[in-house]
Amino acid sequence: MAVPRNIAPRAKWNGRPKYTESVSNYPVPTCTSPMGAAPTVALNATAPNCFITVPNNPLSAEGLATPYLLQPPCSMAVNAQQAFAEATVYDPATGALSVYHPLVMNAGTTPAQPNVVPQLPANAVVGLWFGFNGVVLQLIDANGQNTNTSPMLKGSDCVNGLPGVNGDVFGQVSWCNAQPFFAAVNKGIAAGLTVIPPLGNDNLGNACPTSRSFEITDACPSDNVPTKYLLNPTTLQTAQDTAANRALMPAATELDNASDEALLSNIIDPLIGCTPFQAPSLDDPGVMSSALALSEIQAATLQAAPIGLVPVNDPDCLTTADGVVSADKTNAYRVGVNQGILSGSLTATVDPTGLTGALVPYCNNMVTVAPPFLAGFQNVFINKASPAANVGTNLFTFLCERYLMSLTQLTCPPAAFQPVVCQVDANTGAATSCVITLNNTLTVTGGTNATMNKFPPTTSVAPSSCILPSIAPTGSNMQMHKHRKHKA
């Protein structure tokens, strides 16, 4: 049975569990060795909040090659508990960028294969970003101290939420040394030392989207990472996702972070004729890798108005204690993803630059820009598998439902005309078909066994934890994905 649904009937997102609740329910064990002593807390596959131990000197080559430890009760074998780390490296002498993927593994285990030690350039500037498939991921040091209390984490400029407010968290994302990294890269771009590749055009002749394009932004933009790992399904050991390790682990499961960045770089870009900004991988020689930092650097340089910067109503930017809008927390998040801090009125109704962070223009831009994009590529998206079957039955219905879910999570005011309506399964809640009506005249339908109508190229129409899936993790299905990073 299917029922029609647009923005109105969706239940509002009630926010993430408070960090203080996660601490009381799941105490943090103290780590006594780099590879982790035997866990002292029983595993719990339903725990929504997890902790990873950051190694000492995390911005050095040795620190990058030292595994991060996912602490019990969480396990890398559980989809909703998988954590990911990603480093981007800047060479201030040449302006070159590269990517490295530090390994996250279960405490008490060893890597399934030895980690690659990166060769860093002299005076390298390293930024680290973290993603998570659960609700809240907290960074801790070997003594169990967090980013507000640990001298080591504070010295590495690690940020987990609103700095200085103990217990406040963004949720799934965090980073270390992001502000100095982006400052160095932006200086290199201004000096002409670092050259950012052009966006190019998609198969309809429009500019390729970035992580800040309203064609693909959601309620929680610019979050999580496109990092992948390999999991030995028997020993539950993880390894870096490299060609060498894939050859040594043919039965391994690929682990993916449910990431906006991965959705764009790994799924949407190849389907619409676009190429993501990539850089050489330091852990997988000869391979070019996508990264959150690369996406944000390119978007900051080339995204045309309207620009989808993180809005103040982003669930990740609401205060953890009481769920209210916080300019300080929004600015802290923006700094971590190379975005300008808030400027202007939060009651603005027009905001082409995204700098105000105001809710109304962000919502209006989503309603104006996203539906024509989804309709334009409906014939392509409908024939591709859904990244999350509980959201949509194919990529087209997934993206349409994700769009509608985002408007609800942001508490957007109802649009005067909502172009997207989806039929959802009454039992699973997944969108089974979606109809896009542009300008109240042109209708495009897509879904399971749906008629695929022609749609002319267009880029605009008249205005009319963030737990939101972007690309589903694959840790429990024990299937190796076939797609690979692009070779250099």
Side-chain angles (χ1 to χ4, degrees), residues 237-478:
Q237 294 170 286
T238 53
Q240 291 171 313
D241 179 22
T242 67
N245 287 345
R246 283 183 174 245
L248 293 169
M249 303 172 63
T253 302
E254 180 185 284
L255 307 184
D256 302 296
N257 187 202
S259 163
D260 290 333
E261 310 290 348
L263 176 65
L264 177 61
S265 299
N266 297 346
I267 296 181
I268 292 178
D269 273 348
L271 290 175
I272 66 175
C274 295
T275 302
F277 181 19
Q278 297 184 317
S281 170
L282 298 179
D283 48 285
D284 199 3
V287 168
M288 300 294 284
S289 289
S290 302
L292 177 148
L294 298 180
S295 294
E296 297 303 327
I297 291 167
Q298 187 181 47
T301 306
L302 300 176
Q303 176 61 48
I307 302 174
L309 302 186
V310 172
V312 294
N313 284 59
D314 180 336
D316 288 341
C317 297
L318 304 179
T319 57
T320 304
D322 49 17
V324 300
V325 167
S326 167
D328 288 340
K329 189 172 182 180
T330 304
N331 283 334
Y333 194 109
R334 286 187 169 201
V335 166
V337 291
N338 198 31
Q339 296 184 5
I341 62 173
L342 296 172
S343 176
S345 173
L346 291 181
T347 61
T349 57
V350 178
D351 183 17
T353 67
L355 288 174
T356 71
L359 174 65
V360 170
Y362 190 92
C363 298
N364 287 345
N365 286 330
M366 285 188 65
V367 174
T368 300
V369 177
F373 172 77
L374 297 176
F377 286 104
Q378 177 256 344
N379 287 352
V380 176
F381 294 156
I382 192 153
N383 290 311
K384 299 301 177 182
S386 171
N390 63 327
V391 177
T393 54
N394 57 56
L395 180 58
F396 177 70
T397 56
F398 165 84
L399 291 171
C400 289
E401 182 69 0
R402 173 179 177 266
Y403 155 84
L404 291 172
M405 291 169 66
S406 294
L407 296 176
T408 297
Q409 287 189 328
L410 289 168
T411 65
C412 291
F417 171 65
Q418 176 51 256
V420 180
V421 177
C422 291
Q423 295 280 337
V424 297
D425 187 286
N427 296 316
T428 67
T432 56
S433 67
C434 297
V435 176
I436 299 179
T437 304
L438 303 177
N439 291 327
N440 289 306
T441 57
L442 180 62
T443 299
V444 180
T445 304
T448 305
N449 299 320
T451 300
M452 296 179 288
N453 299 325
K454 299 287 186 179
F455 180 76
T458 184
T459 57
S460 64
V461 294
S464 51
S465 85
C466 191
I467 309 304
L468 185 67
S470 295
I471 171 174
T474 58
S476 65
N477 62 15
M478 300 306 174

Side-chain angles (χ1 to χ4, degrees), residues 34-59:
M35 288 302 170
T40 58
V41 177
L43 297 180
N44 179 353
T46 66
N49 307 327
C50 302
F51 305 86
I52 57 170
T53 301
V54 179
N56 291 329
N57 303 311
L59 305 177

Side-chain angles (χ1 to χ4, degrees), residues 106-156:
N106 293 329
T109 67
T110 57
Q113 300 294 334
N115 282 350
V116 175
V117 180
Q119 298 297 312
L120 301 182
N123 302 312
V125 183
V126 179
L128 278 165
W129 288 265
F130 303 90
F132 186 50
N133 288 341
V135 178
V136 173
L137 181 69
Q138 181 80 350
L139 306 182
I140 57 173
D141 66 13
N143 297 313
Q145 293 185 304
N146 63 37
T147 54
N148 285 313
T149 60
S150 166
M152 186 274 288
L153 293 177
K154 292 169 69 175
S156 300

